[in-house]
Amino acid sequence: MKFAVQLYSLREYIEKNGLENALKIISEAGFEGVEFAGFYGMSAAEISALLKKYDLAPVSAHIGNEAFEKELPTIKALGIKAVCVPWIGFNHGADAQAEYEKTRKTLALARENGIVLGYHNHAHEFENGSDYVKGIADAVAGLKLELDVFWLAVAGINALKYMEREKDRLLFLHVKELGADGAEGVNPIVGEGKANCGAVMEKGKALGVPWAILEAEKIGMAEADYLRESCKFMKKYQ
C-alpha cells in the first residue's frame, strides 16, 4: 500500500504559501502521491514539473459529474488515471435516478479515456437508514468506491465490515481521523482518534487497496508536523 495526500487538506496552506510549498512538505513527510481538488489556475505542464521535482505521483482527482468533461484535458495531461466524484446530495434534495444517469455518462466518458471512476462518500448518504453509497454503486455498473473512513465513523458505520462487503469495488481509502469533538472538530494525527484508522489500513492492505489517501478537514497544528506524524503512523501498514 502506498500513501498520498488529498490536497483539499492543505487548501488554506496553499492559499498562503502556494502549491509548490505544499508539495514540498508532503514529499518531505514521506508521502508518495497526491489527490487533486482543483488545479489552482495552473497549467498541466506547470503542475507536472512540480510533481516531478518532488517525486509525487498524481494518484487521482476529485471532480464532480458537471465538471468532468471540462477538466478531462487536464486530467489526461497530468496522467491521472482515477477520478472520484466527491459529492452528490443524496438525502439533501438530489434526484437519485437523475444523479445515477449523470454518473453513468461520466463513467462512459472516463472509460473512453482510460480513466477509472469512483465515488467518495460522506455521512449524508446514510441518513434515515439509507445507503446511497451502495445505491449508486449498484446502479452504475463499473463504478468504484473511495471509502472515507472518517465519514463512515460519523455515520455510525463499521468501516471494516463495509470494506469487506464492498471489497470488489474498493478503489482507494480516505484516511481521516475523528476526534473527540466529532465531525466539526479538529482532525487528530492519524492513529490518535476514534476512526479505527490502523485496523482500516490493515484491512485495506489485506484487500490489496493500492493507495491510502490522507485527508483532513481541520488541522490544529503546523501542517508539516501533521503530515509527518500522520505519515509515520500510516507507514506501519505499508
Side-chain angles (χ1 to χ4, degrees):
M1 183 183 287
K2 295 182 179 182
F3 305 98
V5 174
Q6 164 53 258
L7 290 171
Y8 172 82
S9 311
L10 298 176
R11 59 200 179 279
E12 295 177 0
Y13 182 92
I14 292 170
E15 186 176 347
K16 294 176 183 176
N17 302 284
L19 178 62
E20 179 168 3
N21 283 314
L23 298 180
K24 183 175 186 290
I25 64 172
I26 289 168
S27 179
E28 289 175 345
F31 289 95
E32 299 151 287
V34 294
E35 180 175 59
F36 290 91
F39 299 112
Y40 310 101
M42 300 173 68
S43 71
E46 289 170 329
I47 295 172
S48 292
L50 291 177
L51 293 175
K52 183 177 181 180
K53 181 176 180 178
Y54 295 104
D55 195 24
L56 293 168
V59 178
S60 56
H62 276 193
I63 299 173
N65 285 318
E66 291 76 11
F68 183 83
E69 186 171 4
K70 176 185 176 183
E71 297 290 4
L72 186 56
T74 302
I75 296 166
K76 294 178 69 175
L78 286 171
I80 294 170
K81 297 300 184 183
V83 168
C84 294
V85 177
W87 169 274
I88 294 175
F90 298 119
N91 287 319
H92 289 258
D95 181 322
Q97 295 304 319
E99 296 297 333
Y100 295 162
E101 185 56 30
K102 289 179 187 177
T103 308
R104 289 187 193 103
K105 291 178 180 178
T106 302
L107 177 61
L109 184 56
R111 281 178 163 172
E112 287 174 12
N113 289 276
I115 297 165
V116 177
L117 188 70
Y119 179 76
H120 172 275
N121 68 281
H122 290 75
H124 67 283
E125 295 96 343
F126 301 99
E127 291 173 2
N128 306 314
S130 60
D131 184 351
Y132 277 105
V133 177
K134 184 176 187 300
I136 192 171
D138 286 346
V140 183
L143 184 70
K144 299 296 185 179
L145 297 176
E146 179 181 63
L147 292 179
D148 186 306
V149 300
F150 168 90
W151 289 117
L152 289 177
V154 170
I157 303 296
N158 184 305
L160 299 178
K161 291 181 179 179
Y162 207 92
M163 290 167 63
E164 179 64 31
R165 193 191 77 188
E166 300 296 335
K167 60 185 177 183
D168 293 335
R169 296 191 279 216
L170 190 51
L171 176 62
F172 303 130
L173 288 172
H174 251 215
V175 176
K176 184 191 309 176
E177 195 59 270
L178 178 62
D181 294 330
E184 300 302 319
V186 168
N187 300 115
I189 292 166
V190 176
E192 297 182 5
K194 304 189 296 181
N196 204 16
C197 287
V200 162
M201 285 187 290
E202 188 66 44
K203 181 71 170 177
K205 180 180 177 181
L207 293 175
V209 178
W211 288 91
I213 301 171
L214 175 70
E215 186 178 39
E217 301 290 330
K218 297 179 182 178
I219 297 175
M221 59 194 295
E223 289 88 348
D225 294 339
Y226 180 84
L227 293 172
R228 185 180 60 254
E229 293 303 314
S230 291
C231 192
K232 182 178 178 182
F233 178 84
M234 292 170 72
K235 286 204 167 181
K236 294 178 182 179
Y237 303 92
Q238 201 160 28

